[in-house]
Amino acid sequence: DRMQRTRLNAVLSAYARKTEVVKERQAMNDQRDAEIATTWQKYLETNLTPAEKTLIENFNHEWKAYTEARNHTMVLAAAGDYDAAIVNATNATPKFDGAHATMFKLIDLQRDEGAKEYAASQKNYENIFITSVVVIAFGILLAVIIGLLLIRAIIGPLNEAVAVANAVASGDLTSRIEVNSNNETGRLLQALKTMNDNLADLVNKVRAGTDQISTASGEIASGNSDLSQRTEEQASSLEETASSMEELSSTVRQNADNVRQANQLAAGASEVAVKGGAV
């Protein structure tokens, strides 16, 4: 587009036959030439194929030849020699067409190279996509496996901890608790193991105290039995003593009766004696 504009500016400068138009178009061409040079330099800094380099070299020669003829047209128009400028512009047309054709060859070549790069990029994309899908699928599978192993690693110790807790709740302190890790579940199992061991030790101490109490109770019962036997023996002795006391009391009563009788006999005898004395 900029190349066409520079050509149009040169032709208009020749046909306008006005100095101000020539100056205006010359200024526009200077701006377009600067833009073309900047764009062309950016293109030359890209990766170029050998075919592109050949076409670029051809274009540079053709464009240089045309710009020299175009600039000469502008000089003639600026000098007021418009007829010569028109003739020169007409003569420069084949040079422009040659450069223009070479430029289109470059465009077609870039289009072909772009199509090739697109095809290669598409293939790379498909390969990367397939690889990504495989990697993602493998990652998902690996995540599932790791998840299952993690769940198993968590659920197993938790189930064991629940079983131990249930056993302790039911009074069974004989559970064997194996602690094989230092993670949270491992610390939980260690705490349960410590609790179970402490409860078992406490129960053993209580059992030992109970045995001692039972032994002491047996000894007390045996002492009470001995005391009861001795009490029974004493009660029997007391009964025998009471029986003896009753016999003694009976004997004393008999003795008292005998004493009274003797007293009466003595009184009778004394009375007889008194009477005898009187007599």
Side-chain angles (χ1 to χ4, degrees), residues 18-275:
K18 292 181 180 181
T19 304
E20 60 272 15
V21 174
V22 175
K23 291 181 179 180
E24 181 183 357
R25 296 297 172 176
Q26 181 62 53
M28 294 174 65
N29 271 0
D30 291 340
Q31 182 180 356
R32 296 293 180 268
D33 286 340
E35 293 172 355
I36 291 172
T38 300
T39 304
W40 188 249
Q41 183 61 37
K42 290 181 180 179
Y43 170 65
L44 293 178
E45 292 174 356
T46 60
N47 294 326
L48 303 174
T49 64
E52 279 184 296
K53 291 179 180 179
T54 300
L55 290 175
I56 287 171
E57 186 177 355
N58 294 337
F59 175 79
N60 286 334
H61 291 298
E62 293 169 350
W63 184 247
K64 181 179 180 181
Y66 169 71
T67 54
E68 289 176 353
R70 185 201 66 192
N71 292 338
H72 185 59
T73 299
M74 299 296 291
V75 170
L76 292 174
D81 192 356
Y82 299 109
D83 293 333
I86 292 172
V87 172
N88 192 75
T90 302
N91 294 332
T93 298
K95 296 178 181 179
F96 178 83
D97 291 339
H100 195 259
T102 303
M103 176 56 67
F104 270 100
K105 290 179 181 180
L106 275 172
I107 293 173
D108 292 337
L109 180 60
Q110 287 181 343
R111 186 183 297 111
D112 294 339
E113 291 296 327
K116 292 179 182 178
E117 291 181 2
Y118 173 78
S121 299
Q122 184 67 24
K123 185 176 180 179
N124 290 334
Y125 166 76
E126 292 175 356
N127 293 334
I128 293 173
F129 177 77
I130 294 173
T131 303
S132 300
V133 170
V134 172
V135 171
I136 291 173
F138 178 75
I140 293 174
L141 178 61
L142 184 62
V144 170
I145 294 174
I146 293 175
L148 292 176
L149 293 177
L150 183 61
I151 291 173
R152 182 178 179 183
I154 295 174
I155 297 299
L158 286 178
N159 289 334
E160 183 178 356
V162 171
V164 171
N166 290 331
V168 172
S170 63
D172 183 8
L173 302 178
T174 61
S175 300
R176 292 178 57 89
I177 304 175
E178 299 293 337
V179 181
N180 299 319
S181 63
N182 294 322
N183 54 19
E184 288 76 6
T185 54
R187 291 197 293 270
L188 174 61
L189 287 175
Q190 181 62 46
L192 288 173
K193 184 177 186 298
T194 302
M195 181 191 71
N196 191 76
D197 293 342
N198 290 338
L199 286 174
D201 183 63
L202 179 61
V203 169
N204 288 331
K205 290 180 179 179
V206 171
R207 183 177 297 169
T210 303
D211 292 339
Q212 292 177 356
I213 292 173
S214 178
T215 301
S217 298
E219 293 177 354
I220 291 172
S222 177
N224 287 335
S225 178
D226 293 340
L227 178 61
S228 177
Q229 183 178 0
R230 287 194 299 271
T231 302
E232 289 177 356
E233 292 176 355
Q234 290 178 358
S236 177
S237 299
L238 287 175
E239 289 178 354
E240 293 177 355
T241 302
S243 177
S244 299
M245 291 296 291
E246 288 179 357
E247 293 178 356
L248 178 62
S249 177
S250 178
T251 302
V252 169
R253 283 195 300 271
Q254 291 178 359
N255 289 334
D257 290 339
N258 293 329
V259 169
R260 282 194 300 271
Q261 291 177 2
N263 189 27
Q264 289 177 358
L265 290 175
S270 174
E271 183 179 1
V272 170
V274 170
K275 288 179 177 183

